[in-house]
Amino acid sequence: MKYVHIGINVTNLEASIAFYSKVFGVSPIKLKPTYSKFLLEQPGLNFTLNVKDEVNGNQVNHFGFQVETQEEIDHHKQRLEQEGFFAREERDTTCCFALQDKFWITDPDGNEWEFFYTKADRGVQSERCCVDI
């Protein structure tokens, strides 16, 4: 497999392009009046925005990027805060049967994005893990 593909519905293409250009650190490679495509080599992601008249909040639980080091979490959090995004941070949290450090941001249509670093496996699942994000 070369790329994971995610296509999401958005109500405001320009606002979503601005948001995702900052999150991904690149501009879209294709732009049409009701469509935009980002192609990221690292991680391998084909990510598209599709304009719809209405989007009611987060249609999925969440999206996310798993990074390899604590330094990457800190780097991306600082970078996105400098872009004006509020990052809700969680340190030493148990989620998805793992001990993690993470932070969350929200796109213009209410989709939650998690950046996380897994420190260790855990034998338990937190009751609030990925719920009511």
Side-chain angles (χ1 to χ4, degrees):
M1 285 186 251
K2 188 168 182 178
Y3 295 98
V4 171
H5 172 61
I6 298 173
I8 64 168
N9 296 330
V10 302
T11 56
N12 183 320
L13 188 61
E14 284 130 17
S16 295
I17 289 170
F19 177 86
Y20 285 106
S21 292
K22 291 174 183 174
V23 171
F24 298 147
V26 298
S27 297
I29 65 163
K30 187 182 285 186
L31 184 57
K32 303 292 182 185
T34 60
Y35 174 88
S36 179
K37 177 180 177 180
F38 291 85
L39 195 61
L40 293 101
E41 294 297 323
Q42 183 63 28
L45 176 64
N46 174 334
F47 185 82
T48 60
L49 305 171
N50 306 277
V51 175
K52 299 291 180 190
D53 291 336
E54 184 178 332
V55 176
N56 292 318
N58 198 358
Q59 302 293 315
V60 296
N61 187 285
H62 68 281
F63 300 105
F65 294 103
Q66 182 173 3
V67 300
E68 295 184 51
T69 66
Q70 180 65 50
E71 290 76 22
E72 285 182 85
I73 285 289
D74 297 338
H75 166 77
H76 289 295
K77 181 176 179 287
Q78 180 182 19
R79 178 180 68 82
L80 292 168
E81 285 177 338
Q82 288 175 348
E83 291 286 358
F85 300 127
F86 170 75
R88 181 174 44 108
E89 184 175 35
E90 297 177 39
R91 296 279 180 160
D92 295 318
T93 189
T94 298
C95 186
C96 302
F97 297 92
L99 178 63
Q100 300 174 343
D101 282 349
K102 61 177 74 183
F103 71 90
W104 300 85
I105 58 174
T106 306
D107 82 0
D109 285 293
N111 293 298
E112 291 277 343
W113 281 85
E114 165 193 36
F115 286 72
F116 68 99
Y117 167 62
T118 300
K119 298 175 169 185
D121 286 331
R122 287 284 167 98
V124 296
Q125 170 78 312
S126 170
E127 289 182 21
R128 64 178 192 79
C129 176
C130 303
V131 178
D132 298 327
I133 295 172

